[in-house]
Amino acid sequence: MDYLLNISSILILLAVFMPFVKFKYWWVRFFDFPHAQFTVVGLVISAGYIFRDKNTVDWMLFSSILVALFYCLWLIYPYTVLSKKKSLSFSGLADGLDSISLLSASVYMPNTNVNGLIKLINQKNPDVILLLECDVKWSSSIEPAIEETHPYRITRPLPNTYGILFYSKYKLLEADIKFFV
């Protein structure tokens, strides 16, 4: 049982701190997201250390787990009800326009049903369109169909599944695509 707790501690520590490794591989970037789950697992592991006699290695692992827990909680805190609200209140514009419509689609690059997406766009008539996983083929197929209705755009089609296409009926101010990895 001691080895199981120690191995679990090491695995969760690796998972929590893996995002500090600056590799662009998906299996490393995956660890950027499940901090709530890591917190729960860390709490369970911490409880295991509380109810047993500890040697030096146990104390080091236990204190490392506590550091990892505080780090995860620090990352989660802004998304809780305990955090101060950062968005501004909105009561509508003077011209009566108080909302915009958004159509977001992950097209899955190997998919070839461009006409189905164009039909959906025409049917929903969104103000803003965000398309993910797009390559040049998708970009060149979609743009002619929406260039009149959505004249403002910022696109970055890529040959992998990280391409993005953004179209708007409204003028874009300071539009840019940033890659954080």
Side-chain angles (χ1 to χ4, degrees), residues 29-82:
R29 299 286 42 106
F30 163 80
F31 294 100
D32 287 335
F33 303 104
H35 294 290
Q37 293 85 342
F38 293 158
T39 302
V40 172
V41 172
L43 287 170
V44 171
I45 291 172
S46 297
Y49 280 111
I50 290 172
F51 298 111
R52 76 176 206 176
D53 293 330
K54 290 172 258 327
N55 58 31
T56 305
V57 172
D58 290 340
W59 278 110
M60 288 178 13
L61 287 172
F62 179 59
S63 59
S64 297
I65 291 291
L66 291 179
V67 169
L69 280 172
F70 282 112
Y71 173 67
C72 286
L73 290 171
W74 177 71
L75 292 173
I76 295 168
Y77 174 75
Y79 305 99
T80 67
V81 295
L82 303 173

Tab-separated table of all heavy atoms in Angstrom, residues 29-82:
chain	number	residue	atom	x	y	z
A	29	ARG	N	0.392	18.752	-24.013
A	29	ARG	CA	-0.550	19.866	-23.889
A	29	ARG	C	-1.859	19.426	-23.233
A	29	ARG	O	-2.571	20.244	-22.664
A	29	ARG	CB	-0.837	20.486	-25.270
A	29	ARG	CG	0.398	21.049	-25.928
A	29	ARG	CD	0.937	22.374	-25.357
A	29	ARG	NE	0.994	22.588	-23.970
A	29	ARG	CZ	2.114	22.566	-23.231
A	29	ARG	NH1	3.265	22.310	-23.767
A	29	ARG	NH2	2.074	22.811	-21.940
A	30	PHE	N	-2.184	18.151	-23.315
A	30	PHE	CA	-3.384	17.628	-22.661
A	30	PHE	C	-3.408	17.995	-21.176
A	30	PHE	O	-4.448	18.307	-20.615
A	30	PHE	CB	-3.439	16.104	-22.828
A	30	PHE	CG	-4.381	15.424	-21.884
A	30	PHE	CD1	-5.727	15.400	-22.148
A	30	PHE	CD2	-3.914	14.841	-20.714
A	30	PHE	CE1	-6.612	14.792	-21.269
A	30	PHE	CE2	-4.789	14.230	-19.829
A	30	PHE	CZ	-6.137	14.204	-20.115
A	31	PHE	N	-2.254	18.003	-20.544
A	31	PHE	CA	-2.182	18.238	-19.106
A	31	PHE	C	-2.414	19.701	-18.725
A	31	PHE	O	-2.428	20.038	-17.547
A	31	PHE	CB	-0.832	17.748	-18.564
A	31	PHE	CG	-0.671	16.259	-18.660
A	31	PHE	CD1	0.061	15.685	-19.686
A	31	PHE	CD2	-1.281	15.427	-17.738
A	31	PHE	CE1	0.197	14.319	-19.788
A	31	PHE	CE2	-1.158	14.046	-17.832
A	31	PHE	CZ	-0.417	13.495	-18.858
A	32	ASP	N	-2.627	20.580	-19.701
A	32	ASP	CA	-2.943	21.981	-19.419
A	32	ASP	C	-4.361	22.161	-18.869
A	32	ASP	O	-4.679	23.220	-18.354
A	32	ASP	CB	-2.842	22.819	-20.696
A	32	ASP	CG	-1.412	23.057	-21.140
A	32	ASP	OD1	-0.519	23.004	-20.283
A	32	ASP	OD2	-1.203	23.288	-22.338
A	33	PHE	N	-5.220	21.163	-18.987
A	33	PHE	CA	-6.643	21.382	-18.764
A	33	PHE	C	-7.291	20.735	-17.535
A	33	PHE	O	-8.119	21.379	-16.905
A	33	PHE	CB	-7.413	20.986	-20.025
A	33	PHE	CG	-6.946	21.747	-21.228
A	33	PHE	CD1	-6.140	21.134	-22.169
A	33	PHE	CD2	-7.270	23.079	-21.398
A	33	PHE	CE1	-5.682	21.837	-23.270
A	33	PHE	CE2	-6.813	23.789	-22.489
A	33	PHE	CZ	-6.018	23.162	-23.439
A	34	PRO	N	-7.021	19.499	-17.168
A	34	PRO	CA	-7.838	18.852	-16.123
A	34	PRO	C	-7.416	19.167	-14.686
A	34	PRO	O	-7.246	18.275	-13.863
A	34	PRO	CB	-7.676	17.363	-16.441
A	34	PRO	CG	-6.324	17.260	-17.051
A	34	PRO	CD	-6.129	18.539	-17.815
A	35	HIS	N	-7.280	20.453	-14.353
A	35	HIS	CA	-6.817	20.809	-13.013
A	35	HIS	C	-7.841	20.515	-11.924
A	35	HIS	O	-7.470	20.205	-10.792
A	35	HIS	CB	-6.395	22.273	-12.973
A	35	HIS	CG	-5.194	22.530	-13.829
A	35	HIS	ND1	-3.945	22.058	-13.512
A	35	HIS	CD2	-5.055	23.169	-15.015
A	35	HIS	CE1	-3.097	22.410	-14.444
A	35	HIS	NE2	-3.751	23.074	-15.381
A	36	ALA	N	-9.106	20.594	-12.226
A	36	ALA	CA	-10.124	20.240	-11.226
A	36	ALA	C	-10.011	18.760	-10.873
A	36	ALA	O	-10.082	18.384	-9.691
A	36	ALA	CB	-11.519	20.566	-11.751
A	37	GLN	N	-9.813	17.927	-11.872
A	37	GLN	CA	-9.659	16.492	-11.626
A	37	GLN	C	-8.371	16.213	-10.857
A	37	GLN	O	-8.357	15.381	-9.946
A	37	GLN	CB	-9.659	15.716	-12.949
A	37	GLN	CG	-10.977	15.756	-13.676
A	37	GLN	CD	-11.159	16.988	-14.559
A	37	GLN	OE1	-10.479	17.998	-14.437
A	37	GLN	NE2	-12.120	16.914	-15.467
A	38	PHE	N	-7.289	16.916	-11.204
A	38	PHE	CA	-6.033	16.742	-10.482
A	38	PHE	C	-6.194	17.142	-9.019
A	38	PHE	O	-5.595	16.529	-8.129
A	38	PHE	CB	-4.919	17.586	-11.112
A	38	PHE	CG	-4.502	17.143	-12.490
A	38	PHE	CD1	-3.865	18.021	-13.337
A	38	PHE	CD2	-4.739	15.852	-12.945
A	38	PHE	CE1	-3.463	17.636	-14.607
A	38	PHE	CE2	-4.348	15.450	-14.217
A	38	PHE	CZ	-3.709	16.348	-15.044
A	39	THR	N	-7.000	18.160	-8.766
A	39	THR	CA	-7.235	18.605	-7.387
A	39	THR	C	-7.929	17.514	-6.587
A	39	THR	O	-7.539	17.222	-5.449
A	39	THR	CB	-8.082	19.902	-7.378
A	39	THR	OG1	-7.389	20.900	-8.132
A	39	THR	CG2	-8.313	20.399	-5.967
A	40	VAL	N	-8.936	16.901	-7.144
A	40	VAL	CA	-9.653	15.827	-6.451
A	40	VAL	C	-8.720	14.651	-6.161
A	40	VAL	O	-8.669	14.141	-5.038
A	40	VAL	CB	-10.890	15.366	-7.264
A	40	VAL	CG1	-11.516	14.129	-6.653
A	40	VAL	CG2	-11.900	16.496	-7.358
A	41	VAL	N	-7.950	14.249	-7.161
A	41	VAL	CA	-7.020	13.133	-6.967
A	41	VAL	C	-5.969	13.508	-5.925
A	41	VAL	O	-5.622	12.698	-5.051
A	41	VAL	CB	-6.358	12.731	-8.309
A	41	VAL	CG1	-5.248	11.713	-8.088
A	41	VAL	CG2	-7.405	12.185	-9.267
A	42	GLY	N	-5.488	14.740	-5.968
A	42	GLY	CA	-4.515	15.200	-4.982
A	42	GLY	C	-5.067	15.191	-3.568
A	42	GLY	O	-4.357	14.849	-2.617
A	43	LEU	N	-6.329	15.556	-3.419
A	43	LEU	CA	-6.962	15.519	-2.089
A	43	LEU	C	-7.061	14.089	-1.567
A	43	LEU	O	-6.816	13.830	-0.379
A	43	LEU	CB	-8.348	16.171	-2.138
A	43	LEU	CG	-8.363	17.689	-2.273
A	43	LEU	CD1	-9.778	18.187	-2.558
A	43	LEU	CD2	-7.806	18.341	-1.012
A	44	VAL	N	-7.410	13.167	-2.431
A	44	VAL	CA	-7.494	11.757	-2.032
A	44	VAL	C	-6.120	11.240	-1.614
A	44	VAL	O	-5.972	10.569	-0.577
A	44	VAL	CB	-8.091	10.896	-3.170
A	44	VAL	CG1	-7.974	9.417	-2.869
A	44	VAL	CG2	-9.540	11.292	-3.427
A	45	ILE	N	-5.107	11.568	-2.393
A	45	ILE	CA	-3.747	11.135	-2.057
A	45	ILE	C	-3.297	11.775	-0.739
A	45	ILE	O	-2.687	11.108	0.105
A	45	ILE	CB	-2.779	11.465	-3.208
A	45	ILE	CG1	-3.088	10.576	-4.419
A	45	ILE	CG2	-1.334	11.295	-2.781
A	45	ILE	CD1	-2.331	10.945	-5.673
A	46	SER	N	-3.605	13.054	-0.551
A	46	SER	CA	-3.244	13.732	0.700
A	46	SER	C	-3.876	13.050	1.895
A	46	SER	O	-3.242	12.902	2.948
A	46	SER	CB	-3.686	15.201	0.666
A	46	SER	OG	-3.013	15.880	-0.347
A	47	ALA	N	-5.118	12.651	1.752
A	47	ALA	CA	-5.793	11.939	2.850
A	47	ALA	C	-5.060	10.641	3.181
A	47	ALA	O	-4.953	10.253	4.354
A	47	ALA	CB	-7.242	11.655	2.478
A	48	GLY	N	-4.523	9.983	2.173
A	48	GLY	CA	-3.755	8.765	2.414
A	48	GLY	C	-2.509	9.019	3.237
A	48	GLY	O	-2.119	8.188	4.063
A	49	TYR	N	-1.883	10.163	3.039
A	49	TYR	CA	-0.685	10.494	3.817
A	49	TYR	C	-1.030	10.919	5.244
A	49	TYR	O	-0.254	10.689	6.164
A	49	TYR	CB	0.113	11.601	3.130
A	49	TYR	CG	0.961	11.114	1.996
A	49	TYR	CD1	0.657	11.453	0.695
A	49	TYR	CD2	2.072	10.309	2.229
A	49	TYR	CE1	1.424	11.008	-0.368
A	49	TYR	CE2	2.848	9.851	1.178
A	49	TYR	CZ	2.523	10.203	-0.115
A	49	TYR	OH	3.289	9.751	-1.157
A	50	ILE	N	-2.168	11.546	5.421
A	50	ILE	CA	-2.544	12.035	6.749
A	50	ILE	C	-2.716	10.887	7.731
A	50	ILE	O	-2.333	10.990	8.892
A	50	ILE	CB	-3.829	12.896	6.657
A	50	ILE	CG1	-3.502	14.211	5.940
A	50	ILE	CG2	-4.414	13.158	8.032
A	50	ILE	CD1	-4.702	15.059	5.628
A	51	PHE	N	-3.254	9.779	7.257
A	51	PHE	CA	-3.594	8.673	8.156
A	51	PHE	C	-2.529	7.581	8.203
A	51	PHE	O	-2.849	6.411	8.365
A	51	PHE	CB	-4.943	8.077	7.749
A	51	PHE	CG	-6.062	9.072	7.853
A	51	PHE	CD1	-6.684	9.563	6.713
A	51	PHE	CD2	-6.474	9.539	9.085
A	51	PHE	CE1	-7.711	10.488	6.801
A	51	PHE	CE2	-7.491	10.472	9.180
A	51	PHE	CZ	-8.117	10.951	8.042
A	52	ARG	N	-1.265	7.951	8.092
A	52	ARG	CA	-0.223	6.935	8.222
A	52	ARG	C	1.045	7.557	8.781
A	52	ARG	O	1.245	8.764	8.711
A	52	ARG	CB	0.043	6.242	6.902
A	52	ARG	CG	0.837	7.030	5.916
A	52	ARG	CD	1.101	6.203	4.694
A	52	ARG	NE	2.318	6.650	4.020
A	52	ARG	CZ	2.804	6.055	2.985
A	52	ARG	NH1	2.228	4.985	2.514
A	52	ARG	NH2	3.888	6.494	2.404
A	53	ASP	N	1.903	6.721	9.323
A	53	ASP	CA	3.198	7.190	9.802
A	53	ASP	C	4.041	7.555	8.592
A	53	ASP	O	4.079	6.847	7.598
A	53	ASP	CB	3.897	6.102	10.617
A	53	ASP	CG	3.167	5.809	11.920
A	53	ASP	OD1	2.530	6.739	12.459
A	53	ASP	OD2	3.223	4.659	12.374
A	54	LYS	N	4.758	8.678	8.718
A	54	LYS	CA	5.494	9.181	7.566
A	54	LYS	C	7.003	9.144	7.803
A	54	LYS	O	7.472	9.506	8.871
A	54	LYS	CB	5.059	10.615	7.262
A	54	LYS	CG	3.647	10.716	6.723
A	54	LYS	CD	3.180	12.130	6.613
A	54	LYS	CE	2.254	12.628	7.665
A	54	LYS	NZ	1.311	11.792	8.294
A	55	ASN	N	7.723	8.733	6.757
A	55	ASN	CA	9.177	8.838	6.781
A	55	ASN	C	9.560	10.064	5.952
A	55	ASN	O	8.700	10.816	5.493
A	55	ASN	CB	9.838	7.551	6.263
A	55	ASN	CG	9.399	7.217	4.838
A	55	ASN	OD1	9.113	8.100	4.041
A	55	ASN	ND2	9.328	5.926	4.534
A	56	THR	N	10.833	10.272	5.721
A	56	THR	CA	11.300	11.465	5.001
A	56	THR	C	10.737	11.535	3.584
A	56	THR	O	10.296	12.594	3.134
A	56	THR	CB	12.843	11.474	4.949
A	56	THR	OG1	13.341	11.380	6.281
A	56	THR	CG2	13.361	12.747	4.316
A	57	VAL	N	10.733	10.416	2.864
A	57	VAL	CA	10.200	10.398	1.501
A	57	VAL	C	8.714	10.734	1.518
A	57	VAL	O	8.232	11.505	0.679
A	57	VAL	CB	10.446	9.021	0.840
A	57	VAL	CG1	9.730	8.923	-0.497
A	57	VAL	CG2	11.930	8.776	0.677
A	58	ASP	N	7.977	10.189	2.488
A	58	ASP	CA	6.547	10.493	2.592
A	58	ASP	C	6.317	11.983	2.823
A	58	ASP	O	5.416	12.578	2.226
A	58	ASP	CB	5.912	9.692	3.725
A	58	ASP	CG	5.828	8.216	3.424
A	58	ASP	OD1	5.896	7.861	2.240
A	58	ASP	OD2	5.679	7.428	4.381
A	59	TRP	N	7.114	12.588	3.707
A	59	TRP	CA	6.955	14.013	3.983
A	59	TRP	C	7.254	14.843	2.727
A	59	TRP	O	6.562	15.822	2.445
A	59	TRP	CB	7.860	14.459	5.135
A	59	TRP	CG	7.277	14.176	6.483
A	59	TRP	CD1	7.701	13.256	7.390
A	59	TRP	CD2	6.128	14.799	7.052
A	59	TRP	NE1	6.905	13.270	8.501
A	59	TRP	CE2	5.922	14.209	8.328
A	59	TRP	CE3	5.248	15.789	6.644
A	59	TRP	CZ2	4.877	14.584	9.158
A	59	TRP	CZ3	4.212	16.173	7.479
A	59	TRP	CH2	4.035	15.563	8.718
A	60	MET	N	8.274	14.447	1.979
A	60	MET	CA	8.599	15.178	0.748
A	60	MET	C	7.471	15.053	-0.269
A	60	MET	O	7.063	16.049	-0.887
A	60	MET	CB	9.907	14.665	0.155
A	60	MET	CG	11.114	15.080	0.958
A	60	MET	SD	12.736	14.486	0.395
A	60	MET	CE	12.508	13.860	-1.196
A	61	LEU	N	6.948	13.861	-0.444
A	61	LEU	CA	5.846	13.671	-1.389
A	61	LEU	C	4.579	14.379	-0.919
A	61	LEU	O	3.884	15.015	-1.722
A	61	LEU	CB	5.587	12.184	-1.618
A	61	LEU	CG	6.645	11.458	-2.458
A	61	LEU	CD1	6.391	9.957	-2.461
A	61	LEU	CD2	6.667	11.995	-3.879
A	62	PHE	N	4.281	14.266	0.361
A	62	PHE	CA	3.087	14.915	0.921
A	62	PHE	C	3.172	16.433	0.735
A	62	PHE	O	2.206	17.076	0.291
A	62	PHE	CB	2.923	14.544	2.393
A	62	PHE	CG	1.746	15.183	3.056
A	62	PHE	CD1	0.462	14.970	2.589
A	62	PHE	CD2	1.914	16.000	4.166
A	62	PHE	CE1	-0.643	15.549	3.204
A	62	PHE	CE2	0.820	16.590	4.793
A	62	PHE	CZ	-0.458	16.371	4.309
A	63	SER	N	4.322	17.033	1.058
A	63	SER	CA	4.448	18.482	0.902
A	63	SER	C	4.407	18.875	-0.577
A	63	SER	O	3.835	19.915	-0.933
A	63	SER	CB	5.725	18.992	1.567
A	63	SER	OG	6.857	18.370	1.014
A	64	SER	N	4.942	18.037	-1.464
A	64	SER	CA	4.869	18.320	-2.903
A	64	SER	C	3.432	18.246	-3.407
A	64	SER	O	3.011	19.057	-4.235
A	64	SER	CB	5.735	17.329	-3.687
A	64	SER	OG	7.081	17.466	-3.325
A	65	ILE	N	2.684	17.284	-2.886
A	65	ILE	CA	1.263	17.173	-3.250
A	65	ILE	C	0.505	18.418	-2.784
A	65	ILE	O	-0.351	18.944	-3.509
A	65	ILE	CB	0.630	15.888	-2.655
A	65	ILE	CG1	1.186	14.648	-3.339
A	65	ILE	CG2	-0.893	15.917	-2.732
A	65	ILE	CD1	0.770	14.474	-4.782
A	66	LEU	N	0.818	18.910	-1.596
A	66	LEU	CA	0.161	20.130	-1.107
A	66	LEU	C	0.487	21.326	-1.999
A	66	LEU	O	-0.395	22.132	-2.312
A	66	LEU	CB	0.558	20.404	0.342
A	66	LEU	CG	0.017	19.426	1.377
A	66	LEU	CD1	0.511	19.796	2.768
A	66	LEU	CD2	-1.505	19.369	1.345
A	67	VAL	N	1.745	21.430	-2.429
A	67	VAL	CA	2.117	22.513	-3.354
A	67	VAL	C	1.328	22.370	-4.656
A	67	VAL	O	0.792	23.348	-5.187
A	67	VAL	CB	3.642	22.502	-3.622
A	67	VAL	CG1	4.007	23.424	-4.773
A	67	VAL	CG2	4.402	22.891	-2.360
A	68	ALA	N	1.232	21.156	-5.166
A	68	ALA	CA	0.472	20.913	-6.395
A	68	ALA	C	-0.998	21.262	-6.211
A	68	ALA	O	-1.626	21.831	-7.119
A	68	ALA	CB	0.630	19.450	-6.829
A	69	LEU	N	-1.556	20.930	-5.050
A	69	LEU	CA	-2.959	21.265	-4.775
A	69	LEU	C	-3.176	22.775	-4.777
A	69	LEU	O	-4.135	23.269	-5.364
A	69	LEU	CB	-3.392	20.689	-3.427
A	69	LEU	CG	-3.759	19.223	-3.420
A	69	LEU	CD1	-3.983	18.746	-1.988
A	69	LEU	CD2	-4.996	18.981	-4.243
A	70	PHE	N	-2.288	23.513	-4.117
A	70	PHE	CA	-2.422	24.970	-4.095
A	70	PHE	C	-2.261	25.555	-5.495
A	70	PHE	O	-2.973	26.487	-5.864
A	70	PHE	CB	-1.426	25.598	-3.116
A	70	PHE	CG	-1.848	25.478	-1.688
A	70	PHE	CD1	-1.145	24.669	-0.816
A	70	PHE	CD2	-2.971	26.150	-1.211
A	70	PHE	CE1	-1.540	24.537	0.502
A	70	PHE	CE2	-3.382	26.028	0.105
A	70	PHE	CZ	-2.657	25.216	0.961
A	71	TYR	N	-1.374	24.985	-6.286
A	71	TYR	CA	-1.209	25.447	-7.664
A	71	TYR	C	-2.495	25.202	-8.466
A	71	TYR	O	-2.972	26.098	-9.172
A	71	TYR	CB	-0.008	24.741	-8.317
A	71	TYR	CG	0.131	25.044	-9.783
A	71	TYR	CD1	0.463	26.321	-10.224
A	71	TYR	CD2	-0.081	24.056	-10.730
A	71	TYR	CE1	0.582	26.593	-11.570
A	71	TYR	CE2	0.040	24.332	-12.082
A	71	TYR	CZ	0.369	25.598	-12.495
A	71	TYR	OH	0.474	25.880	-13.830
A	72	CYS	N	-3.058	24.008	-8.347
A	72	CYS	CA	-4.307	23.700	-9.065
A	72	CYS	C	-5.439	24.608	-8.607
A	72	CYS	O	-6.218	25.109	-9.428
A	72	CYS	CB	-4.690	22.238	-8.866
A	72	CYS	SG	-3.664	21.093	-9.784
A	73	LEU	N	-5.549	24.820	-7.315
A	73	LEU	CA	-6.601	25.709	-6.791
A	73	LEU	C	-6.405	27.139	-7.286
A	73	LEU	O	-7.376	27.839	-7.588
A	73	LEU	CB	-6.637	25.652	-5.273
A	73	LEU	CG	-7.152	24.336	-4.686
A	73	LEU	CD1	-6.935	24.293	-3.176
A	73	LEU	CD2	-8.618	24.125	-5.026
A	74	TRP	N	-5.162	27.573	-7.375
A	74	TRP	CA	-4.874	28.906	-7.879
A	74	TRP	C	-5.320	29.037	-9.334
A	74	TRP	O	-5.824	30.078	-9.754
A	74	TRP	CB	-3.375	29.181	-7.725
A	74	TRP	CG	-2.927	30.499	-8.263
A	74	TRP	CD1	-3.170	31.743	-7.744
A	74	TRP	CD2	-2.159	30.712	-9.448
A	74	TRP	NE1	-2.592	32.705	-8.533
A	74	TRP	CE2	-1.966	32.101	-9.585
A	74	TRP	CE3	-1.608	29.857	-10.396
A	74	TRP	CZ2	-1.252	32.649	-10.636
A	74	TRP	CZ3	-0.894	30.416	-11.447
A	74	TRP	CH2	-0.725	31.792	-11.551
A	75	LEU	N	-5.153	27.970	-10.133
A	75	LEU	CA	-5.584	27.988	-11.530
A	75	LEU	C	-7.106	27.937	-11.663
A	75	LEU	O	-7.679	28.516	-12.580
A	75	LEU	CB	-4.965	26.811	-12.294
A	75	LEU	CG	-3.458	26.859	-12.516
A	75	LEU	CD1	-2.975	25.550	-13.128
A	75	LEU	CD2	-3.074	28.042	-13.387
A	76	ILE	N	-7.751	27.223	-10.761
A	76	ILE	CA	-9.198	27.042	-10.819
A	76	ILE	C	-9.952	28.251	-10.267
A	76	ILE	O	-11.034	28.596	-10.744
A	76	ILE	CB	-9.608	25.771	-10.041
A	76	ILE	CG1	-9.028	24.533	-10.711
A	76	ILE	CG2	-11.116	25.653	-9.909
A	76	ILE	CD1	-9.141	23.285	-9.867
A	77	TYR	N	-9.393	28.923	-9.282
A	77	TYR	CA	-10.064	30.004	-8.554
A	77	TYR	C	-10.759	31.046	-9.446
A	77	TYR	O	-11.908	31.403	-9.184
A	77	TYR	CB	-9.071	30.692	-7.602
A	77	TYR	CG	-9.643	31.896	-6.927
A	77	TYR	CD1	-10.562	31.764	-5.881
A	77	TYR	CD2	-9.303	33.185	-7.341
A	77	TYR	CE1	-11.099	32.875	-5.267
A	77	TYR	CE2	-9.841	34.299	-6.732
A	77	TYR	CZ	-10.738	34.143	-5.701
A	77	TYR	OH	-11.282	35.237	-5.101
A	78	PRO	N	-10.116	31.560	-10.513
A	78	PRO	CA	-10.795	32.586	-11.322
A	78	PRO	C	-12.110	32.126	-11.950
A	78	PRO	O	-12.918	32.955	-12.363
A	78	PRO	CB	-9.766	32.915	-12.420
A	78	PRO	CG	-8.459	32.495	-11.867
A	78	PRO	CD	-8.737	31.327	-10.974
A	79	TYR	N	-12.334	30.832	-12.021
A	79	TYR	CA	-13.540	30.301	-12.655
A	79	TYR	C	-14.615	29.894	-11.643
A	79	TYR	O	-15.601	29.273	-12.010
A	79	TYR	CB	-13.171	29.103	-13.539
A	79	TYR	CG	-12.108	29.476	-14.537
A	79	TYR	CD1	-10.775	29.157	-14.304
A	79	TYR	CD2	-12.427	30.188	-15.685
A	79	TYR	CE1	-9.790	29.525	-15.205
A	79	TYR	CE2	-11.450	30.562	-16.582
A	79	TYR	CZ	-10.129	30.230	-16.339
A	79	TYR	OH	-9.154	30.601	-17.225
A	80	THR	N	-14.400	30.240	-10.399
A	80	THR	CA	-15.363	29.896	-9.355
A	80	THR	C	-16.211	31.105	-8.988
A	80	THR	O	-15.889	32.242	-9.347
A	80	THR	CB	-14.646	29.383	-8.083
A	80	THR	OG1	-13.893	30.463	-7.508
A	80	THR	CG2	-13.733	28.207	-8.402
A	81	VAL	N	-17.275	30.870	-8.237
A	81	VAL	CA	-18.133	31.959	-7.769
A	81	VAL	C	-17.428	32.810	-6.714
A	81	VAL	O	-17.881	33.909	-6.403
A	81	VAL	CB	-19.475	31.425	-7.212
A	81	VAL	CG1	-20.289	30.772	-8.307
A	81	VAL	CG2	-19.240	30.467	-6.065
A	82	LEU	N	-16.325	32.311	-6.175
A	82	LEU	CA	-15.573	33.054	-5.168
A	82	LEU	C	-14.757	34.189	-5.776
A	82	LEU	O	-14.392	35.132	-5.098
A	82	LEU	CB	-14.633	32.108	-4.408
A	82	LEU	CG	-15.292	30.920	-3.718
A	82	LEU	CD1	-14.233	29.981	-3.155
A	82	LEU	CD2	-16.232	31.398	-2.628
